[in-house]
Amino acid sequence: MEKEAVDLAKKIVELDLLRDEIWESLAMLAGDKAYELLRVVQNS
């Protein structure tokens, strides 16, 4: 594989881990409404 492809794959993994961390923070702040809030913001 090309180095660029491997680097991109690594970035995707890093972003996925960061997304999980951010989701945990949102869930703590918004509680049961976290998923709904995420969808509203995503669709606006």
Side-chain angles (χ1 to χ4, degrees):
M1 287 190 191
E2 292 186 28
K3 182 184 180 326
E4 185 177 356
V6 173
D7 288 345
L8 288 173
K10 287 179 181 179
K11 284 182 182 180
I12 290 171
V13 171
E14 289 173 9
L15 285 171
D16 192 43
L17 292 172
L18 179 58
R19 180 203 177 279
D20 289 345
E21 289 177 24
I22 294 170
W23 173 255
E24 297 269 333
S25 296
L26 177 60
M28 287 177 62
L29 289 173
D32 292 340
K33 300 286 185 180
Y35 186 78
E36 180 182 343
L37 175 60
L38 180 63
R39 292 296 162 230
V40 167
V41 170
Q42 187 177 38
N43 292 324
S44 62

